[in-house]
Amino acid sequence: MKTYRITELARAVGLSRSALLHYDRIGLLSASDRSRADYRIYTERDRRRLERICQYRAAGLPLADIRALLDVPGRPAARVLEKRLRQTNDEIGALRGQQRLLASLLRVAGKKIPPAVDKDMWVSMLKAAGVSPQSMERWHQEFERRAPRDHHGFLASLGLPEAEIARIRAFSARP
Amino acid sequence: MGAKMTVEDFTQLFREIGLDEAAMLKWHALFERRHPDGHQSFLEWLGLDAAKIEQVRARSRG
């Protein structure tokens, strides 16, 4: 029957030699045999046990739970697996929450106009479209009256300093 | 606090200070020609969806 040295078995399942030594120490997987020079000799049966360990690890089970699963005969497996299933559901719920939060943060960030358009550009375009300075003042007044917060946000998006924003909003707020 | 300005509110503001449809089209055309990126971000700020933004910008280029 095929047997394995520790390094050989570790390589076969993609683990390190020290991981197998650790599994031995905690009583999760011990070599069934020893060579005359006292090297660990793993059997085909050990290998099958290790493959189950790897499968449970891939499902995120802690090593202590895996040991319980493998060592207790009968079907206590369902309870351990259900516990892990509940955990993954909780983790998915928490990640969904983070996902929603990130999406809404990005939406908020996306609402702001970067000062790609500054005040002078706006004024010159409005002038070119035939808007008089008096009309622009009236426009600010209406904007301030209807949506003061958006008026502020709009002026800030043009890159105006707070002091100038305050000045514009003050004259806009006068009756 | 005022509600979020919609594109209709914005348009109404300009209409009240005497800009007619032709003037607004001219304004969009100017915006698109001089500051295409600014035009895009301004329309996004107004809350227009991507399809509507493309429509407005295409018309402004035409």
Side-chain angles (χ1 to χ4, degrees), chain B residues 44-57:
Chain B
E44 284 173 8
W45 182 81
L46 284 176
L48 267 61
D49 63 44
K52 184 70 187 165
I53 289 175
E54 195 32 59
Q55 193 190 326
V56 171
R57 292 190 61 189

Side-chain angles (χ1 to χ4, degrees), chain A residues 111 128 131 142 146 150, chain B residues 4-5 13 16 19 26 45:
Chain A
K111 281 284 177 206
V131 181
E142 283 301 307
R146 295 183 191 192
D150 284 333
Chain B
K4 176 86 188 123
M5 288 286 282
L13 268 184
E16 281 180 23
L19 250 72
K26 187 178 167 194
W45 182 81

Side-chain angles (χ1 to χ4, degrees), chain A residues 122-131 136, chain B residues 23 26-27 30 34:
Chain A
W122 261 94
V123 171
S124 73
M125 285 189 299
L126 287 171
K127 257 189 213 144
V131 181
M136 287 186 214
Chain B
K26 187 178 167 194
W27 180 83
L30 275 171
R34 293 192 193 171

